[in-house]
Amino acid sequence: MDYTKSPFLDINLPQPLYVLPVVTLTIINALLLLFNYVIYSNQKLFSPAISPTQLRLITCSIHILLPMLVISDHPPSNGLFTIAPWLLAVYSATFPMTETTRFIDWFNALLNTVIEPRLTLDKKNKSTTYIRFAGLAKALLGILKFVFLFLIVNPLLPPVARNTIEFPWFSWKSIMFILLFGFKHYCLLGILDITFGVIQMVLGKYTIDSMHEPYLSSSPRNFWGRRWNLFVSHFLHTQVFASSTTSKPAISNEKKLKKQKKPVWTKTREVRGFMSFFASGVFHEMMVMSIHRKITLENFIFFLIHGLAAYLEVKFRNAYNLKQEPQRFFL
């Protein structure tokens, strides 16, 4: 059996049209986000030919297609170029805008995606100077993760990443490499610690932590909801889980819409939670498509399985009225 091939799909995609330097691609994505602001603030010019919702679908589709057609010359950065601009584009699309919306309000709304929304009383009482030093510590932690990655984790992995998936799924080598790649991704997301730490130092406001000791997780729900990649977790919570209806862009003099039946996926918290995993699976398939030029569905099905596990956990705990988080078997 060839373990290097996906058991679901293994479709090769065409190579990208352009390979650009990281700085150039960063500027292009920033200009596209600025273009979104210009389009949304002048959306009345497009009506009635294009509705505000259609306009937002078009702009978000452009952000989806761009990493399929254009990639950077630094492969590790392509995952970030696939997801980050698209997440910001979606957030921008759901921000209510009219022709009177100021640029600074729109920009602050984008910045708020990284601001910690759940401050404890202890954090609220801290001085701005303390918060800035905490931001410096966060940035240094991100740098430390990269040092650990290059000095400890990478030497334990084969030079060619493809060689790590040549073994049977449940062999000890396969399991060891899976754990090492888990640590590698944990360290790579240190780029978020560095970015958010710098933003925290500049703004003097607490930013979201990228991780919260994921190796101490006690359950699937605890891992994905409260410990791993909290920036994306927060985004999915606000855009998918917490929203009970589809966001409608604000338009001046817009007629009140008649009450519509709620979509099935918004009816219960459990189903909305599962849809968050569905969306995350789509995000990760997009990254695979951009970086490896393949459609495999492995990441998509992985997140569906974990979404089902989290769904069953919630149903079980609700059925037996279990309020307390499951206890860890170690530490």
Side-chain angles (χ1 to χ4, degrees):
M1 181 175 181
D2 187 356
Y3 291 99
T4 63
K5 289 189 175 182
S6 167
F8 310 110
L9 281 179
D10 193 13
I11 301 174
N12 292 317
L13 296 176
Q15 291 302 306
L17 297 179
Y18 301 99
V19 179
L20 302 176
V22 170
V23 175
T24 304
L25 196 52
T26 301
I27 294 172
I28 290 174
N29 278 288
L31 290 175
L32 271 177
L33 283 172
L34 183 60
F35 175 74
N36 289 354
Y37 165 76
V38 175
I39 291 293
Y40 296 158
S41 58
N42 294 279
Q43 56 194 359
K44 289 184 73 175
L45 298 176
F46 300 91
S47 62
I50 303 176
S51 71
T53 300
Q54 290 171 334
L55 190 63
R56 283 156 172 75
L57 287 174
I58 291 171
T59 55
C60 288
S61 298
I62 292 173
H63 285 277
I64 291 175
L65 289 174
L66 182 64
M68 302 299 119
L69 303 175
V70 183
I71 64 172
S72 78
D73 55 3
H74 184 246
S77 300
N78 287 325
L80 194 62
F81 280 121
T82 303
I83 295 302
W86 192 80
L87 292 179
L88 291 174
V90 170
Y91 191 86
S92 176
T94 58
F95 180 68
M97 290 183 64
T98 67
E99 62 276 6
T100 60
T101 302
R102 298 180 305 165
F103 173 80
I104 190 64
D105 296 327
W106 172 80
F107 183 73
N108 284 335
L110 291 184
L111 274 181
N112 282 336
T113 59
V114 302
I115 301 300
E116 175 58 65
R118 297 163 291 190
L119 290 179
T120 61
L121 186 61
D122 178 57
K123 284 189 173 182
K124 287 180 180 178
N125 293 331
K126 297 298 184 183
S127 66
T128 303
T129 303
Y130 179 91
I131 295 173
R132 293 186 196 277
F133 274 110
L136 174 61
K138 183 179 293 186
L140 292 175
L141 175 63
I143 295 173
L144 184 62
K145 287 180 180 179
F146 276 96
V147 172
F148 181 80
L149 170 64
F150 290 115
L151 295 183
I152 306 297
V153 179
N154 277 351
L156 297 175
L157 290 168
V160 181
R162 186 178 176 83
N163 294 345
T164 62
I165 57 174
E166 292 179 345
F167 307 99
W169 294 327
F170 297 106
S171 67
W172 71 269
K173 282 189 176 180
S174 181
I175 294 172
M176 180 186 71
F177 286 141
I178 287 172
L179 292 173
L180 286 173
F181 270 112
F183 275 111
K184 181 168 184 172
H185 282 85
Y186 171 77
C187 294
L188 284 173
L189 285 173
I191 189 64
L192 295 180
D193 292 309
I194 298 171
T195 304
F196 296 167
V198 171
I199 293 174
Q200 184 167 319
M201 283 189 287
V202 173
L203 298 182
K205 294 181 179 180
Y206 279 108
T207 54
I208 297 173
D209 293 328
S210 67
M211 300 281 184
H212 179 55
E213 300 175 331
Y215 38 82
L216 299 181
S217 300
S218 55
S219 70
R221 179 169 168 260
N222 180 260
F223 178 84
W224 293 112
R226 300 180 181 180
R227 293 186 179 275
W228 181 265
N229 201 349
L230 298 180
F231 171 64
V232 172
S233 176
H234 172 62
F235 175 86
L236 291 172
H237 182 85
T238 56
Q239 300 299 318
V240 180
F241 178 77
S243 60
S244 58
T245 56
T246 304
S247 301
K248 298 284 191 295
I251 308 174
S252 55
N253 301 322
E254 184 179 13
K255 294 180 180 179
K256 287 185 178 180
L257 297 171
K258 293 181 179 179
K259 276 191 175 181
Q260 295 179 349
K261 210 173 183 181
K262 287 184 179 180
V264 174
W265 70 272
T266 66
K267 287 186 175 180
T268 67
R269 290 168 56 88
E270 291 85 359
V271 175
R272 293 200 299 273
F274 183 80
M275 287 304 298
S276 296
F277 282 93
F278 181 94
S280 190
V282 173
F283 293 161
H284 285 78
E285 279 300 320
M286 287 167 53
M287 284 194 285
V288 171
M289 290 164 64
S290 175
I291 299 171
H292 301 291
R293 319 306 297 181
K294 277 181 175 289
I295 301 176
T296 66
L297 294 185
E298 287 179 312
N299 282 270
F300 180 68
I301 292 174
F302 170 85
F303 280 97
L304 289 188
I305 292 172
H306 279 256
L308 179 61
Y311 173 84
L312 293 176
E313 177 192 340
V314 172
K315 296 296 285 185
F316 177 82
R317 293 178 62 185
N318 288 344
Y320 292 93
N321 198 27
L322 302 175
K323 302 291 185 181
Q324 188 177 353
E325 287 286 336
Q327 296 298 309
R328 296 188 297 268
F329 291 105
F330 57 92
L331 299 180

